[in-house]
Amino acid sequence: MIDFLKIKSDFPIFKKNPNLIYLDSTATSLKPQSVIDKLIEYYSSYNANIFRGVYKISEKATEEYEKTREIIADFINAKKQEVIFTRNTTESINLIAYSLGRKIIEKNDEIIVSIMEHHANFVPWQVLSSEIGAVLKIIDIDEEGYLRIKDKKSRKINLYEIITKKTKILALTYISNVLGTINQIKKIIKSARKINPKIIIIIDSAQAVPHIKVDVKDLDADFIVFSSHKMMGPTGVGILWGKEELLTEMFPFLYGGEMIEEVTIEKTTFKRTPYKFEAGTPSIAEVIGLSEAVKYLEKIGLENIKNHEKNLTQKTIKRLLEEFSGKIKIFGPKNIEDRGGIISFTFDNFHSHDIASILDNENIAVRAGHHCAMPLHQRLGILSTVRASFYVYNNEEDIEKLIIGLKKVYQILKK
Amino acid sequence: MNIYTEIILDHYQNPRNFGEIKNPTSVSEASNSVCGDKLKIFILVENKKVKDIKFSGVGCAISIASASLITDYLKGKSISQLKKINKDFIIKMLGINLGVNRIKCAVLVGEAISKLKV
Ligand SMILES: Cc1ncc(COP(=O)(O)O)c(C=O)c1O
């Protein structure tokens, strides 16, 4: 048994802010002491640029940086050379759209996304489609926030009305950052490949990798992308995993130092993946720090994390409906097994920013707005929602604080 | 600090000048990209004075209260006084301390007013 009450003491932010109720891990997670220590270790013990140096501390930094690549590869069951460090999920997706999308998409080809995508996995495809004259198809959701991909009769996944032979790319989120819906990615991928074996499948796993076990071999996607800062690692690091054959064929994204094999006045040849995609000095300290985040995640265990979040989510939904029935509307699947630790809601006709401001007065950090998913809010017919999300350092006390905070909101804003 | 003072809540719960003007001299609109809120301002000018001013739209308590307070202030005032409405003026009028993220809500009305053709 993991003592989740004790876990809080691993996060120094609670020492400086003892009353903080942090319910915004979907935006970014807090960092444990071990990750912070690792950053300091690099800066104070072997601060040097990587690859170029032939002296000891540069070799040490290079070794730590490459060790992190291995740790990430093991964590998601990938090959080391398939793991590329970018700045964030957004950059990883833009890299794919630029380096592969531009190469393979032709006029009238289809790119498929869903209505629940974060702007990071929507806008790059929308722009690419409109530039090339391709067709952007958008998978809709049902009333509960599930993708509309099931056959009405058999309730099995049926993509025949969505994916065709003209579909070149399917870019889909694993877990919605608003609805919390966990999409049945493995089944969707299998079913998509049956219809069109040449399809390229990109899974935005920014909300998945920090919370559930992601095995790239098992899923059989072509690309998996996520951000270090949402999995208790430092900011400034994104991960792009891709199948080696595809990475090898792709254009580089940025040109410059570190990514070249040889430059002559006439021409340049590039290194192999992953180095071809890591131009310039990367976020060295932050990549190295990420290794500690993975160790921390593995120490607690993803299965434990998932159960902990499920427990908190279930209790929170129950308490919200008990206390504010008729006034609160919670989005996303009713079946707790199908959702992550994310609860977006509207409360009476109060504006999300007013709710968040009043909760902030009570030291409760929630997010208000469209959460970078404007098409989804448009689809839901609302301008904005309030979002509370959970991670390892949250506990049941936070739920009761949230309830008390919302009672205060009601007191202040009711007409 | 509590930004939901009595004045703010009063103007949010009972906004003054909420609605539209049938024959306005000018109409303008402003929106807040952070939350999608939109305010529309209608003005009727006579003899270089604000004969009537109304607003409509959706917004948070801060943006509604701010629009209510500012339109109330402007009624009967001269156009030159209307042109003096700016961020500092609005914040002073609201009398609350807003963080960087909420200031936009308060000044939305000012942005709409600055777009009026008067
Ligand atoms: C589902 C999803 N995709 C992409 C992103 C973008 O992540 P980043 O801002 O780290 O690029 C987020 C973060 O909010 C997200 O929740």
Side-chain angles (χ1 to χ4, degrees):
Chain A
M1 268 297 278
I2 305 284
D3 185 355
F4 279 96
L5 284 172
K6 256 204 184 133
I7 280 185
K8 221 165 168 168
S9 61
D10 292 340
F11 293 79
I13 199 163
F14 293 115
K15 292 197 186 95
K16 293 247 162 68
N17 308 269
N19 298 320
L20 174 66
I21 308 291
Y22 188 74
L23 300 177
D24 197 18
S25 297
T26 299
T28 197
S29 64
L30 304 176
K31 323 297 178 216
Q33 189 66 52
S34 59
V35 169
I36 300 167
D37 286 346
K38 195 74 182 176
L39 293 172
I40 296 169
E41 179 189 292
Y42 163 77
Y43 285 122
S44 47
S45 306
Y46 45 89
N47 181 134
N49 212 327
I50 50 174
F51 303 127
R52 282 173 283 216
V54 287
Y55 48 89
K56 280 192 272 322
I57 57 169
S58 172
E59 278 172 356
K60 168 74 175 159
T62 308
E63 201 181 292
E64 290 280 343
Y65 184 90
E66 286 305 313
K67 204 164 81 195
T68 307
R69 201 189 304 279
E70 254 167 63
I71 287 173
I72 289 287
D74 287 347
F75 187 55
I76 59 172
N77 193 20
K79 288 189 262 178
K80 187 176 175 241
Q81 63 272 28
E82 296 177 330
V83 173
I84 293 153
F85 292 121
T86 62
R87 270 190 315 137
N88 47 39
T89 301
T90 306
E91 186 175 297
S92 297
I93 297 171
N94 275 275
L95 188 158
I96 304 166
Y98 179 90
S99 298
L100 182 75
R102 278 186 326 147
K103 194 165 176 166
I104 63 167
I105 299 290
E106 288 166 21
K107 207 171 152 84
N108 298 326
D109 282 345
E110 296 167 354
I111 300 176
I112 299 178
V113 295
S114 87
I115 195 74
M116 65 168 79
E117 298 312 312
H118 186 283
H119 294 163
N121 198 31
F122 192 91
V123 183
W125 307 117
Q126 189 182 47
V127 169
L128 183 71
S129 318
S130 80
E131 273 176 10
I132 297 182
V135 182
L136 185 71
K137 282 167 90 180
I138 301 167
I139 303 174
D140 195 19
I141 50 168
D142 66 14
E143 298 70 37
E144 264 197 69
Y146 289 105
L147 292 174
R148 264 187 208 278
I149 47 172
K150 293 230 169 122
D151 190 271
K152 284 199 184 68
K153 277 198 204 112
S154 70
R155 303 303 301 153
K156 288 220 172 95
I157 289 173
N158 179 349
L159 298 173
Y160 280 90
E161 275 170 32
I162 298 164
I163 289 167
T164 71
K165 292 269 185 258
K166 285 196 152 179
T167 307
K168 288 258 171 84
I169 288 176
L170 169 65
L172 210 55
T173 192
Y174 201 142
I175 298 181
S176 159
N177 68 320
V178 178
L179 302 164
T181 317
I182 305 176
N183 292 317
Q184 293 184 309
I185 290 302
K186 192 177 168 182
K187 287 186 185 163
I188 293 173
I189 292 173
K190 211 169 159 194
S191 159
R193 294 214 189 279
K194 236 183 242 163
I195 302 170
N196 181 348
K198 284 202 211 132
I199 194 169
I200 300 288
I201 301 174
I202 298 142
I203 304 300
D204 174 354
S205 305
Q207 298 302 343
V209 171
H211 306 277
I212 61 175
K213 182 81 201 149
V214 172
D215 178 325
V216 301
K217 285 220 181 77
D218 181 52
L219 286 180
D220 189 33
D222 295 294
F223 297 94
I224 298 264
V225 295
F226 51 101
S227 294
S228 156
H229 70 94
K230 292 184 199 283
M231 53 192 285
M232 298 188 274
T235 57
V237 182
I239 292 90
L240 165 65
W241 169 83
K243 284 187 178 158
E244 196 175 357
E245 317 87 82
L246 290 167
L247 292 171
T248 304
E249 283 168 25
M250 282 157 63
F251 298 123
F253 182 43
L254 300 169
Y255 297 90
E258 309 290 9
M259 49 86 64
I260 51 90
E261 210 166 58
E262 188 185 33
V263 183
T264 64
I265 294 168
E266 293 78 25
K267 78 182 241 288
T268 298
T269 51
F270 307 113
K271 281 189 184 152
R272 283 189 307 183
T273 176
Y275 306 105
K276 178 170 84 174
F277 298 105
E278 291 179 7
T281 300
S283 305
I284 302 170
E286 290 80 0
V287 166
I288 291 173
L290 172 60
S291 67
E292 286 298 322
V294 175
K295 283 182 200 161
Y296 190 80
L297 278 166
E298 285 181 327
K299 198 176 85 190
I300 302 176
L302 282 161
E303 199 56 34
N304 290 328
I305 294 174
K306 190 175 174 225
N307 285 332
H308 176 64
E309 291 173 2
K310 192 166 79 184
N311 182 25
L312 291 178
T313 306
Q314 191 161 28
K315 289 210 168 108
T316 307
I317 292 177
K318 182 166 161 273
R319 290 290 291 125
L320 286 172
L321 295 176
E322 261 167 28
E323 294 285 346
F324 310 106
S325 87
K327 294 191 199 80
I328 206 151
K329 182 168 167 36
I330 297 170
F331 296 89
K334 292 206 172 59
N335 184 351
I336 201 76
E337 301 296 331
D338 296 341
R339 62 187 297 158
I342 297 169
I343 303 173
S344 296
F345 61 90
T346 54
F347 186 27
D348 209 303
N349 58 358
F350 307 144
H351 195 284
S352 65
H353 281 183
D354 291 326
I355 299 171
S357 279
I358 295 170
L359 290 177
D360 176 47
N361 258 351
E362 308 294 312
N363 288 312
I364 303 170
V366 296
R367 192 139 287 251
H370 50 63
H371 321 300
C372 296
M374 285 178 98
L376 175 62
H377 282 78
Q378 194 183 341
R379 169 66 180 80
L380 296 171
I382 49 176
L383 280 174
S384 69
T385 48
V386 176
R387 181 182 72 194
S389 53
F390 302 116
Y391 212 4
V392 292
Y393 32 72
N394 295 112
N395 56 52
E396 290 182 21
E397 205 181 299
D398 299 346
I399 303 176
E400 285 316 306
K401 290 267 169 62
L402 176 66
I403 298 289
I404 293 168
L406 286 172
K407 282 184 181 165
K408 210 156 223 170
V409 169
Y410 189 72
Q411 276 303 316
I412 291 172
L413 294 179
K414 71 164 191 275
K415 294 207 180 182
Chain B
M1 189 199 142
N2 179 25
I3 55 174
Y4 297 91
T5 57
E6 248 171 72
I7 294 186
I8 299 286
L9 287 174
D10 176 36
H11 279 263
Y12 161 62
Q13 279 151 354
N14 315 288
R16 329 291 198 260
N17 313 309
F18 192 84
E20 306 191 349
I21 297 176
K22 282 244 167 65
N23 304 303
T25 319
S26 175
V27 181
S28 68
E29 206 172 26
S31 62
N32 183 345
S33 67
V34 181
C35 54
D37 285 357
K38 270 195 190 117
L39 274 189
K40 213 167 171 179
I41 300 268
F42 303 77
I43 194 166
L44 182 66
V45 178
E46 256 180 45
N47 302 322
K48 305 211 161 171
K49 276 206 158 66
V50 180
K51 179 126 191 283
D52 199 5
I53 182 162
K54 282 196 183 332
F55 75 97
S56 68
V58 281
C60 61
I62 304 301
S63 66
I64 297 290
S66 171
S68 172
L69 274 159
I70 296 294
T71 51
D72 224 27
Y73 162 83
L74 281 175
K75 253 194 199 168
K77 296 283 190 308
S78 68
I79 293 304
S80 64
Q81 273 165 309
L82 178 138
K83 302 232 154 142
K84 285 195 191 124
I85 301 288
N86 61 17
K87 185 171 147 190
D88 292 341
F89 184 92
I90 295 171
I91 288 167
K92 217 164 144 195
M93 188 125 193
L94 294 181
I96 51 175
N97 216 337
L98 291 164
V100 280
N101 292 330
R102 291 308 297 276
I103 284 231
K104 276 191 188 145
C105 315
V107 299
L108 195 60
V109 62
E111 199 190 319
I113 287 172
S114 71
K115 288 183 187 163
L116 288 167
K117 291 191 182 69
V118 289

